[in-house]
């Protein structure tokens, strides 16, 4: 029988028995998966390890899990570091409908370290349901086998994001002056941030800003890509 993986925000550490108080998770376990005492589950808390456990007690309010085995991720992890990627982030302009949700889901599956929702000059949608967004990345991490949860920040303007980001910045922008993507562009010592423009593209003012600060502009293909496609394409090229 296939065991399902579940993210828990509580740090498990060396606990032999963990008590999980999460009504939504209890509903999922009891009413969807029909778990009862003795059922086996796999938990992860973002520390870079999987905790295999057995349900000893479960009710609508909480469950008690006895940890019987711990499996630590080896490939791509260093001692004290539970990151799932070599420091790849994206700052993606907010886009309409459910397309931003799709970006969150897919780049999480691919292994991005963080997503910075961005308000560009041509951004139409400027708000983000943070509770929904965090749930999307948690579920995507559970299903894809990640042992951590990518960072998702509140929406901020382009300049504010760049002022607070420490690392290499690469602008996704096709056309004249853009270079074909190459993995050698990624930072070898720190983080790399890819800027993904809005549905209407970067404004002339933003393009002038990029040139002024000498940010590298890259193209991820010959065709003109939708914003959400460009986000997934560049993360795929960087991490796969």
């Amino acid at each position: 029988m296939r065991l399902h993986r579940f993210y828990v925000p509580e740090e498990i550490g060396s606990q032999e028995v963990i008590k999980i108080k999460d009504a939504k998770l209890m509903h999922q376990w009891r009413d969807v998966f029909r778990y009862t005492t003795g059922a086996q589950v796999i938990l992860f808390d973002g520390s870079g390890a999987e905790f295999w456990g057995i349900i000893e007690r479960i009710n609508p309010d909480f469950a008690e899990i006895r940890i019987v085995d711990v499996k630590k991720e080896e490939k791509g992890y260093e001692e004290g570091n539970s990151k799932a990627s070599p420091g790849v982030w994206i700052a993606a302009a907010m886009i309409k409908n459910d397309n931003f949700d799709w970006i969150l889901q897919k780049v999480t599956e691919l292994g991005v370290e963080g997503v910075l929702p961005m308000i560009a000059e041509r951004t139409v949608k400027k708000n983000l349901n943070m509770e929904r967004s965090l749930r999307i990345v948690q579920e995507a991490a559970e299903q894809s086998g990640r042992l951590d949860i990518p960072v998702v920040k509140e929406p901020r303007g382009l300049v504010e994001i760049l002022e607070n980001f420490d690392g290499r910045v690469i602008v996704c922008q096709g056309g004249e002056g853009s270079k074909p993507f190459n993995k050698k562009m990624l930072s070898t010592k720190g983080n790399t941030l890819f800027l993904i423009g809005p549905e209407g593209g970067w404004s002339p003012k933003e393009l002038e800003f990029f040139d002024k600060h000498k940010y590298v502009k890259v193209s991820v293909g010959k065709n003109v890509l939708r914003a959400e496609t460009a986000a997934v394409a560049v993360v795929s090229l960087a991490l796969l």
Side-chain angles (χ1 to χ4, degrees), residues 46-49 72-85 145-148:
S47 65
K72 294 186 177 181
E73 178 69 54
E74 296 180 359
K75 183 178 180 181
Y77 285 81
E78 298 177 0
E79 185 176 355
N81 179 10
S82 61
K83 296 176 181 178
S85 76
R146 286 187 65 158
L147 298 183
D148 70 332

Side-chain angles (χ1 to χ4, degrees), residues 170 179-183 185-186 194 218-220 234 237-238:
I170 297 177
K179 302 177 181 179
F181 176 81
N182 189 309
K183 281 195 175 184
M185 296 176 177
L186 300 176
F194 289 98
V218 302
S219 173
V220 292
V234 75
L237 291 170

Side-chain angles (χ1 to χ4, degrees), residues 23-240:
K24 291 183 179 179
L25 186 57
M26 294 307 101
H27 166 71
Q28 185 182 21
W29 284 5
R30 286 163 50 89
D31 302 327
V32 179
F33 290 103
R34 303 293 182 181
Y35 288 162
T36 58
T37 300
Q40 293 179 296
V41 293
I42 303 174
L43 309 176
F44 70 105
D45 61 0
S47 65
E50 285 184 336
F51 300 86
W52 293 54
I54 297 175
I55 297 176
E56 291 194 333
R57 185 180 179 187
I58 185 169
N59 60 46
D61 300 315
F62 69 88
E64 291 182 349
I65 313 296
R66 177 167 295 280
I67 304 302
V68 297
D69 193 15
V70 180
K71 298 183 178 181
K72 294 186 177 181
E73 178 69 54
E74 296 180 359
K75 183 178 180 181
Y77 285 81
E78 298 177 0
E79 185 176 355
N81 179 10
S82 61
K83 296 176 181 178
S85 76
V88 172
W89 293 63
I90 65 166
M94 302 284 290
I95 53 179
K96 295 180 291 185
N97 302 321
D98 296 328
N99 293 339
F100 199 82
D101 293 346
W102 187 81
I103 289 177
L104 290 172
Q105 181 187 65
K106 298 309 174 187
V107 299
T108 297
E109 293 173 4
L110 290 167
V112 78
E113 188 171 325
V115 180
L116 306 178
M118 178 173 56
I119 300 174
E121 286 201 359
R122 292 176 175 172
T123 298
V124 176
K125 179 180 177 179
K126 298 184 179 181
N127 60 343
L128 182 67
N129 185 326
M130 289 300 296
E131 182 179 354
R132 173 182 172 85
S133 297
L134 292 174
R135 185 172 68 250
I136 288 171
V137 297
Q138 288 174 10
E139 292 175 353
E142 289 175 353
Q143 295 177 11
S144 63
R146 286 187 65 158
L147 298 183
D148 70 332
I149 305 296
V151 175
V152 181
K153 297 284 190 178
E154 294 276 359
R156 294 184 293 176
L158 169 62
V159 175
E160 184 181 356
I161 286 175
L162 293 175
E163 287 177 343
N164 289 278
F165 183 79
D166 183 18
R168 182 169 297 172
V169 176
I170 297 177
V171 181
C172 293
Q173 167 68 21
E176 185 178 352
S178 296
K179 302 177 181 179
F181 176 81
N182 189 309
K183 281 195 175 184
K184 293 181 180 180
M185 296 176 177
L186 300 176
S187 173
T188 57
K189 296 182 179 180
N191 295 316
T192 301
L193 176 67
F194 289 98
L195 301 181
I196 313 295
E199 292 155 313
W202 299 112
S203 71
K205 183 178 178 181
E206 288 166 337
L207 292 173
E208 182 180 344
F209 176 84
F210 298 148
D211 290 338
K212 178 181 177 181
H213 291 273
K214 298 181 179 180
Y215 291 130
V216 174
K217 291 188 288 186
V218 302
S219 173
V220 292
K222 297 180 180 179
N223 299 332
V224 177
L225 303 180
R226 292 172 61 97
E228 62 269 30
T229 307
V232 173
V234 75
V235 172
S236 299
L237 291 170
L239 293 177
L240 298 184

